[in-house]
Amino acid sequence: MTAAEDRIWTLPNLLSALRLLGVPVFLWLVLGPEADGWAIGLLILAGFSDWLDGKIARAWNQMSRLGRLIDPLADRLYILATLLGLVLRDAVPWWLALIVPLRDVLLLWVPPLLRRHGYGPALPVHFLGKAGTAALMYAFPLLFLASHDGWYADICAISGWAFAIWGTGLYWWAGVLYVVQVRQLIGTRAG
């Protein structure tokens, strides 16, 4: 690792930290005043900042170890918070709120195993994982809008569920690929 990898004060890390701070605000907006417009706006802003921090990190060479930890953490916390809000507002069934984070629970063994074999705490994120997360981040605002009575509810329900199903499938498939990567890394080192 280079000294650049140890940087903390970068614009991408600031964007990820702001996204993390937005999680409790989002939950409060959804569960407290039920200010769905503001909650959806915050969710869209979080999704945009997720894309932007990665773009800036690569373009300005501001990738860091901290960024590789807090960026996916912010994504997962938004996913959990959104699923919790959607379930508590009866906008999605419990099974969706359980199946999506179950993938991350089942992968909790990966970071300790990687560390034990001399690798970093996480594998590089691949396109499939990013696509799954992006699809879920599209699904959630649409599913919130689908829970309303407006003219747009049916359109949002159809597209929201399409994104949710595809996103969940891609999210799980990415998890399977992470397991394959870990087995290949560990097998290479052992062999």
Side-chain angles (χ1 to χ4, degrees), residues 13-140:
N13 288 352
L14 175 64
L15 289 171
S16 292
L18 289 173
R19 212 162 63 249
L20 278 171
L21 292 173
V23 172
V25 175
F26 171 80
L27 261 179
W28 174 78
L29 288 168
V30 170
L31 299 175
E34 296 188 6
D36 291 352
W38 287 103
I40 290 169
L42 182 57
L43 199 57
I44 291 168
L45 186 63
F48 176 73
S49 73
D50 183 30
W51 170 82
L52 184 62
D53 71 22
K55 193 85 167 159
I56 291 171
R58 287 183 294 279
W60 294 356
N61 196 26
Q62 291 191 352
M63 293 170 284
S64 69
R65 195 175 333 182
L66 177 64
R68 276 193 291 279
L69 291 174
I70 64 173
D71 180 62
L73 175 64
D75 292 344
R76 282 162 181 78
L77 287 176
Y78 263 105
I79 288 170
L80 283 172
T82 307
L83 285 168
L84 179 65
L86 285 166
V87 164
L88 292 176
R89 295 271 304 275
D90 293 322
V92 298
W94 275 101
W95 64 263
L96 181 64
L98 294 176
I99 198 167
V100 172
L102 180 62
R103 182 208 83 154
D104 294 322
V105 170
L106 293 175
L107 291 176
L108 285 174
W109 59 273
V110 170
L113 182 67
L114 288 173
R115 279 192 197 100
R116 189 170 57 231
H117 287 276
Y119 296 102
L123 294 170
V125 176
H126 49 71
F127 178 76
L128 212 55
K130 289 180 182 183
T133 300
L136 290 172
M137 295 304 264
Y138 279 111
F140 297 149

